[in-house]
Amino acid sequence: MFKIAKAKWPELWQALAREGQLYLPALVDGKTDFAPWQKDTKVDLLTAVTAKSLKQLFFAQVEPLMHFQTSGKKVAVTPQELPAQPTIAFGVRACDLAGFTILDKVFLKEPVDTFYRARRENCTLIGLACGFPEETCFCQTFNIDAASPAGDIQTWLVWDNLYWESRTGKGQQLTAKLAALLTEATAEDAKLVQAQQTKIRETLSKLPLGRLRFSPELAKHEQEVFNSKVWEKLSATCLSCCGCTYVCPTCHCYDVRDYAGKDGAVERFRCWDSCMNGDFTKMAHGNPRKGQLERFRQRYMHKLVYFPEDYEGTFACVGCGRCLRICPVNLNIVKVAKELEVDLHV
Amino acid sequence: MQKIAALMRQKAQELLSSGQVQQVAAWRKGQLAYDNAPAVFTSPEACADLVYDEFCPANLSKYLLAATKKKLKTAVFLKPCDTYGVNQLLKDNRVQREYVYAIGTPCQGMLDIKKIRAHGLKGITRITVSEGVVQVETVYGTQNLPQRDVLLDKCLQCKGNAYMIADTEIGEKLATPEPRGDAFAAVKRIEALPPEERFKFWQQELSKCIRCNACRDICPACSCEQCIFDNPAAPVAGKAFADPVEENMFHLIRAYHVAGRCVGCGECARVCPQGVKLGLLNLKFMKDINTFYGPYQAGSDATTPAPQVTFTQGDVEPSAAGQKGRS
Ligand code: SF4
Ligand code: SF4
Ligand code: SF4
Ligand code: SF4
């Protein structure tokens, strides 16, 4: 393990930025979110939950796929080149890192999503333990350990020191390049880090959702869950704003659209879609999901039933709590899961 | 507040068990200290979860649209500010009076969890309010905040504790927060800017928008059956995110469409995840309407036509807005 004192962090950001485009949590307009680092960026390492997840780093909100040039009856097709720029994300929390393993299951299985894979492979992820978890956090529900975040490198912030430990080959390579900035941590330091880990786990268990569990039985009762009467009650007040799906690190639906520019140029791109959108899965014949109830149900069926069915019991949720924070009418996955469990007696 | 909540539960149970109404729109308790959710109750037993405290900001009037569509007589708890929205929906003929049972519900101002968090508070386990002090308990310690500092912005523009529509009232009216000075002060500041700066200001503000449409969906003045911005065949569908001009168009069209019908409930700005200053646009229209047609408050009753839908010979020419609007 290494350490680096606060006074040297600006140099650390600079050194990291030399190795690739650096993203870290930054305070802008009173909100903390991941942003490309610049010299005057206000880095915020104390806020655990950034407004949005980091999924856009690998799964861009808008991604051009190919370009067409039409002239008369001819069409020339130019494929979009894959992104090649190395990136580094610093300060990624355990929940968001776990979110990537969920996206991996979808985008890296055959047929591989090449855009996602290219961005994923080009990136070195540096995790940061959560010194101050928030009341909306429930990562422990999914056995995600906020005190030792996965990633290529993991770090801890204890008082004015950042502790640094590589976990993968990629992490070691990057760490080697920073040798001039990092000093070897002592046995005392290791104790400080351990104490913080214990504290974090303790804090998490004291939070309102500290002992929350989702029943694996839900995934075993697909029909009953689908037909449950709670959907009507729960979806009645949803505004279908899509906020919950856009901030979620594990929501991954997209739509493919064409954008007709000038003089016969057409750009085909994909953009995030959301099951809460009125035209989600709309096809030539109409929409199999007719109203908000069906769309709302889709989101939670996907996370609590279909995904676990398809991927050995893994819920498509990492407990980041962002949907609890963003929903203007305070609906969220915890409320839905609990209502379902009561209704199904599981 | 606990007493009020008890009275509300009682009222809701009474109305449901006597069959006077088929459903009740109110708020349901969540798992956190502040996450009460708007909810529709259909049985007296379910009302055990009905809650009311300083974290019930949502204006429930919009849910009456669905009630009218389903022809379900619905009791709805309305804070004073929420009553304006119901009147507007009635006036726009989008909600039928026979399906509404309006219950005036006292309010002392709702709290803004974002403002509470902005004091650096996290890990919140309990929030209590007494005598103008908000006590926030967290896993990291306890802190007291002055209530006024953490009121929702919309509550700092409170129009007072009178109900504009109510079939019955719960308990005694409470004192609502004193509104903050001149409601139009911020509009005047922007009007005073040179045109280029004003343009820049709005461009910056509106470009924050992610086109989630939450503002539209909560708004009691936005009640079209099918919003033009929901047409996937039009190149303006929000999620395609193709063109930043779209956001500007969306907000300008919406602001024009709700002008004279916007009741100033502040819900659009409250629900916006991006913090777009939507209230400002609406206030500009209100100010102009007041200036050109005399004082008007949408939603103060369900019958008076809005100034723009009537014509009198003394009406100003449309160009007046450009000239006198900055007065
Ligand atoms: S469903 Fe909610 S809590 Fe779960 S990962 Fe998505 S945003 Fe986070
Ligand atoms: S954030 Fe809330 S209101 Fe918006 S779509 Fe999700 S559940 Fe519905
Ligand atoms: S525009 Fe905003 S303030 Fe006006 S009625 Fe609609 S939600 Fe309320
Ligand atoms: S609520 Fe905010 S982000 Fe959503 S559409 Fe309205 S202004 Fe845009």
Side-chain angles (χ1 to χ4, degrees):
Chain A
M1 192 162 56
F2 298 98
K3 76 171 171 183
I4 175 165
K6 192 170 185 174
K8 289 233 168 148
W9 294 351
E11 279 175 66
L12 176 66
W13 314 144
Q14 225 157 14
L16 288 171
R18 274 197 295 272
E19 303 302 325
Q21 173 68 58
L22 172 64
Y23 292 86
L24 34 63
L27 189 67
V28 183
D29 264 356
K31 242 199 231 177
T32 299
D33 227 334
F34 281 92
W37 176 80
Q38 284 162 337
K39 279 222 167 66
D40 56 354
T41 299
K42 277 198 202 150
V43 182
D44 173 8
L45 301 185
L46 295 179
T47 300
V49 191
T50 49
K52 292 198 283 305
S53 83
L54 194 56
K55 74 176 169 193
Q56 77 235 36
L57 195 57
F58 304 151
F59 171 42
Q61 183 158 8
V62 180
E63 179 108 70
L65 299 177
M66 55 181 77
H67 312 268
F68 307 102
Q69 184 61 51
T70 57
S71 56
K73 286 193 172 166
K74 282 201 205 117
V75 185
V77 183
T78 325
Q80 171 75 20
E81 273 180 39
L82 291 180
Q85 192 194 30
T87 53
I88 297 167
F90 178 85
V92 192
R93 306 295 177 162
C95 54
D96 279 358
L97 290 164
F100 292 138
T101 63
I102 290 184
L103 296 183
D104 287 350
K105 290 186 201 295
V106 178
F107 289 119
L108 297 183
K109 92 174 174 204
E110 286 301 329
V112 169
D113 186 294
T114 49
F115 290 95
Y116 179 91
R117 182 174 61 191
R119 290 179 191 278
R120 180 94 163 93
E121 284 174 357
N122 293 340
C123 183
T124 310
L125 288 166
I126 307 176
L128 174 61
C130 300
F132 302 96
E134 312 218 0
E135 69 277 4
T136 45
C137 295
F138 58 105
C139 49
Q140 76 288 344
T141 301
F142 308 100
N143 300 320
I144 296 164
D145 186 4
S148 61
D152 299 303
I153 293 162
Q154 57 182 342
T155 66
W156 296 266
L157 179 61
V158 187
W159 301 114
D160 281 347
N161 281 310
L162 188 72
Y163 293 92
W164 182 285
E165 192 170 71
S166 337
R167 299 176 72 252
T168 66
K170 226 192 219 175
Q172 269 158 7
Q173 273 172 22
L174 182 62
T175 306
K177 290 187 184 142
L178 302 168
L181 284 169
L182 301 171
T183 51
E184 196 72 45
T186 61
E188 279 304 300
D189 289 323
K191 268 193 207 143
L192 284 176
V193 169
Q194 265 167 23
Q196 193 201 43
Q197 288 186 306
T198 315
K199 184 86 196 297
I200 292 173
R201 291 174 194 135
E202 240 175 60
T203 306
L204 275 161
S205 71
K206 279 193 262 168
L207 289 170
L209 306 176
R211 268 172 265 282
L212 180 74
R213 286 281 147 201
F214 283 2
S215 167
E217 291 297 312
L218 291 175
K220 296 179 192 145
H221 295 86
E222 186 191 278
Q223 285 307 314
E224 290 90 330
V225 177
F226 190 86
N227 293 318
S228 166
K229 59 183 184 303
V230 309
W231 297 117
E232 188 175 354
K233 170 171 151 192
L234 286 167
S235 65
T237 52
C238 169
L239 302 174
S240 64
C241 72
C242 312
C244 50
T245 57
Y246 283 3
V247 294
C248 177
T250 67
C251 275
H252 52 263
C253 287
Y254 60 81
D255 194 2
V256 176
R257 297 238 168 175
D258 286 347
Y259 184 69
K262 287 203 181 87
D263 304 323
V266 177
E267 191 171 347
R268 174 158 301 172
F269 63 97
R270 75 162 166 213
C271 54
W272 289 357
D273 201 350
S274 162
C275 43
M276 301 296 188
N277 263 325
D279 64 347
F280 181 72
T281 59
K282 184 164 179 161
M283 292 169 266
H285 81 288
N287 200 330
R289 299 191 176 84
K290 294 210 163 43
Q292 192 49 31
L293 185 152
E294 289 81 3
R295 297 197 292 270
F296 182 91
R297 176 171 61 194
Q298 165 63 23
R299 176 161 202 260
Y300 298 103
M301 287 297 288
H302 192 184
K303 294 198 174 301
L304 300 170
V305 179
Y306 304 145
F307 208 84
E309 277 175 350
D310 290 348
Y311 299 100
E312 286 127 24
T314 312
F315 292 109
C317 173
V318 293
C320 73
R322 287 189 181 89
C323 58
L324 281 69
R325 302 169 80 89
I326 200 167
C327 181
V329 291
N330 287 329
L331 287 168
N332 57 58
I333 191 161
V334 179
K335 288 187 183 176
V336 172
K338 291 296 122 190
E339 291 271 353
L340 285 170
E341 287 171 12
V342 171
D343 188 44
L344 271 81
H345 308 290
V346 293
Chain B
M1 282 303 217
Q2 272 167 13
K3 273 191 219 138
I4 300 173
L7 289 173
M8 288 165 66
R9 268 190 294 274
Q10 204 184 351
K11 186 87 210 162
Q13 279 160 345
E14 247 169 59
L15 288 165
L16 284 166
S17 39
S18 68
Q20 248 178 297
V21 304
Q22 285 151 294
Q23 52 179 22
V24 177
W27 299 271
R28 185 186 289 127
K29 192 156 178 40
Q31 317 97 339
L32 305 177
Y34 51 78
D35 68 336
N36 306 327
V40 178
F41 297 86
T42 48
S43 72
E45 302 75 55
C47 295
D49 283 349
L50 193 156
V51 71
Y52 188 66
D53 58 25
E54 286 80 4
F55 290 98
C56 295
N59 178 352
L60 306 171
S61 56
K62 191 72 180 275
Y63 297 117
L64 294 172
L65 275 178
T68 286
K69 220 180 258 168
K70 292 189 202 148
K71 298 199 190 322
L72 293 174
K73 174 96 180 190
T74 303
V76 56
F77 288 100
L78 301 165
K79 305 185 291 296
C81 58
D82 303 336
T83 56
Y84 293 80
V86 176
N87 275 339
Q88 190 56 43
L89 285 161
L90 289 167
K91 190 191 293 187
D92 289 338
N93 208 14
R94 302 290 288 118
V95 163
Q96 243 76 83
R97 186 66 177 96
E98 57 187 298
Y99 297 118
V100 181
Y101 185 81
I103 310 176
T105 311
C107 174
Q108 288 178 296
M110 293 287 147
L111 301 182
D112 187 342
I113 189 63
K114 288 189 195 134
K115 286 191 187 170
I116 292 177
R117 287 200 189 114
H119 282 85
L121 292 166
K122 40 186 101 179
I124 297 168
T125 48
R126 190 154 182 259
I127 301 177
T128 42
V129 186
S130 115
E131 319 253 323
V133 177
V134 179
Q135 187 177 69
V136 186
E137 294 168 41
T138 81
V139 285
Y140 309 106
T142 300
Q143 197 175 327
N144 289 337
L145 302 168
Q147 188 171 8
R148 195 163 171 90
D149 285 6
V150 290
L151 282 175
L152 280 168
D153 278 344
K154 70 170 188 170
C155 299
L156 294 169
Q157 296 172 13
C158 183
K159 291 190 276 288
N161 64 2
Y163 306 116
M164 299 297 117
I165 182 173
D167 294 310
T168 184
E169 291 181 21
I170 293 284
E172 300 284 315
K173 289 193 181 68
L174 293 172
T176 45
E178 274 302 306
R180 183 172 50 188
D182 176 5
F184 298 115
V187 179
K188 289 178 189 158
R189 266 199 303 280
I190 293 167
E191 285 175 344
L193 294 175
E196 314 75 56
E197 274 181 51
R198 238 187 303 152
F199 188 71
K200 216 174 107 195
F201 170 82
W202 283 115
Q203 283 237 302
Q204 259 177 12
E205 204 48 48
L206 299 184
S207 66
K208 289 190 218 158
C209 171
I210 53 170
R211 285 298 312 286
C212 68
N213 297 334
C215 51
R216 174 196 75 185
D217 295 338
I218 196 89
C219 172
C222 271
S223 52
C224 294
E225 282 268 345
Q226 172 90 54
C227 176
I228 176 170
F229 288 98
D230 272 350
N231 177 2
V236 288
K239 69 179 172 184
F241 211 62
D243 188 343
V245 178
E246 255 183 64
E247 276 115 57
N248 302 352
M249 286 310 290
F250 170 67
H251 288 291
L252 289 180
I253 291 179
R254 201 180 90 83
Y256 268 97
H257 201 184
V258 301
R261 299 188 305 114
C262 164
V263 299
C265 66
E267 280 288 272
C268 48
R270 180 184 70 84
V271 300
C272 175
Q274 296 292 94
V276 178
K277 294 195 181 72
L278 292 163
L280 265 184
L281 261 185
N282 301 328
L283 277 171
K284 163 70 178 153
F285 279 96
M286 284 184 206
K287 178 169 169 290
D288 283 355
I289 290 172
N290 288 347
T291 313
F292 298 134
Y293 303 97
Y296 176 76
Q297 169 62 56
S300 50
D301 62 54
T303 46
T304 313
Q308 301 102 310
V309 297
T310 55
F311 174 75
T312 68
Q313 295 227 311
D315 279 359
V316 289
E317 292 300 323
S319 58
Q323 295 148 11
K324 289 197 247 158
R326 290 199 244 150
S327 59

